[in-house]
Amino acid sequence: MFEKYLDIILNTPLFDNLTQDDAKDLLSCMNAHSETFPKESFIFLAGNVPSGIGIMLTGKAKIIKEDIYGNLSVIDSLEAGDIFGEVFACAMIDEIPVTVEADTECEVLLMDYQKVITSCSTNCVFHSMLIKNMLKILAQKNMFLNNKNDILTSRTTREKIMKFLENMAAQRDQLSFDIPFDRQELADFLGLNRSAMTREMLKMKEDGLIDFNKNHFKLLN
Amino acid sequence: MFEKYLDIILNTPLFDNLTQDDAKDLLSCMNAHSETFPKESFIFLAGNVPSGIGIMLTGKAKIIKEDIYGNLSVIDSLEAGDIFGEVFACAMIDEIPVTVEADTECEVLLMDYQKVITSCSTNCVFHSMLIKNMLKILAQKNMFLNNKNDILTSRTTREKIMKFLENMAAQRDQLSFDIPFDRQELADFLGLNRSAMTREMLKMKEDGLIDFNKNHFKLLN
DNA sequence: AGGAGGATGTTGCAAATGCAACATAATTAA
DNA sequence: TTAATTATGTTGCATTTGCAACATCCTCCT
C-alpha cells in the first residue's frame, strides 16, 4: 500500500535508527495507512480534532492559518518527506489551529497519535526508539524556535543580523561560513526590509565587524 | 529524601494524570535524586553533556547564555516547580548551550533522561503517561514559540501589538480580556520600546481598533 | 555574443521608532 | 495621611527603517 514510499518514510527523522524491517513492523503495528487527497482539498481542517501525525509521500501542500478577522496566511509548505501535525497531536489540544491544504494531488501517510506513543507488546524496543525520535524532533524544533526568537527580539537591524550570523557561526563552529538564504529570504527570516538590511550589512562591513560576499560570511574582530 | 517536596513535584506538568503513589513508584524506579547547590554555583554548565532533567524544589536560579564574544544574557529564571533541561536532554545534543546558575541555595530534583524515557518492566502504564506528559510539554512550548515568532516577524509596531492581542483573544475565546504583562514587560516581550509601543497603542485606540485601560484590553470592530 | 531575468547594491525620502526626559496617575510603604 | 515608589502617558528630536525606484552585476539560456 505504501511500500513503494518506504525510502521516504525511513528517511524521516521519526524513523531514525530503525532498520527497514523494524520500520515495517512498526508501521503495520501502528495501522499506518496512506490516503490520497485531491488538489485543493483539505488534509487537515482547522477546528477539527487533531487526528494524527502525517508524512507527505507525494505532492505539495501548504499550512495555512486564519486570524480572527478571517485573513489567511501561509505558515509553511510541505513536500515529500515532511512530517506534519505532530505538534498538535502531542500537545493534546482539542482543535487544530491550522488548515493543511493540498496544492497538488497528495499522498499522505497517516498515523494515529495514540498508536505512535503506546508501546505494543511485541515491539517495545523499536517503539521506544520511535518515541525517542519524536521527543528529539520536538526538542530540536524547540531549540530552533528559541534561537529565532532570540534573534527577533533584538531591537535593531544590526543586532538581528549579528545574532543570526553568530548563530550560524556557532552551528558550523567556524567564523567563516555560507548561509542558506539569499538576501530576500534572509530579510524575511529576520523580519526586515531587504534594502534596509543590505544597507546595514554594508555598514557593518565598513565598521570592520563582518565581511561577506554573496552567501559567504565571515565574523571579524 | 525529596518526600517533603512531593507536592511540588506532583504539580509539575511532568506528573499530570498520575496519583501520588504512581509518582512515588516512578521516581524511585527512575532513581530520581535531589541535590543541593550552594548560592552562585552552577547547576548546569554550558559545554557539558546534558545530564538530565531537573525540577526546582527550593531556591531561585537563572538560565544564562553566552554569545561567541563572551557577553552573557539571562534567558529565563527558575523557581520552585519549574522544569529545566528537558529540551536539551530530548534533543540529544552533545553540549548544553546554556548555564544554569543558582541565585540562592537551591535544592533540585534530577532525573536521568534515559530512565525517564525507558519503560521499566513493572510500571509501563505510568511510564507511558510520563512520556506522554513530556511530549505534551515539548509540544506546547513549541506552539507557544510559534505564536511568539509569528508576532515578532511582523514588520510594524501596530501589527505586533495587534497580533499579540488577537492571540490573547483567541486563547481566552473573548474579545475582552486581561493581559498578564505591564507595559514594560509587554514591550520586552514584543521587542519594542515602551514609549513607542504606548504611542502606537493610543493611536490604535483613536483609530477605533482597540480599547484598553491598564491591563484590560478589548478588540473592537 | 547578446539578451532576459534574477539577485544584489544604492539612493532619496517619508514615516516609524528608539531614546531621553518629564508629567501624571496609581500603588505601596511609612 | 503623606511620602516614596512605581507604572503609565506624553513629547521633541535624532536616527533608523521601510519603501520605491533604479543601477549594477551575475547567471543562464539560446
Side-chain angles (χ1 to χ4, degrees), chain A residues 182-184 194-195 198-199 202 212 215:
Chain A
D182 67 23
R183 293 287 181 278
Q184 186 59 60
R194 183 186 62 82
S195 81
T198 301
R199 177 164 42 201
L202 290 167
F212 63 91
N215 283 12

Side-chain angles (χ1 to χ4, degrees), chain B residues 9 22 32 76 91 97 99 111 113 122 126 135 138 143 145:
Chain B
I9 297 171
D22 300 341
D76 209 352
T99 291
M111 291 165 287
Y113 172 66
T122 51
F126 309 131
L135 285 164
L138 291 177
M143 289 182 64
L145 288 171

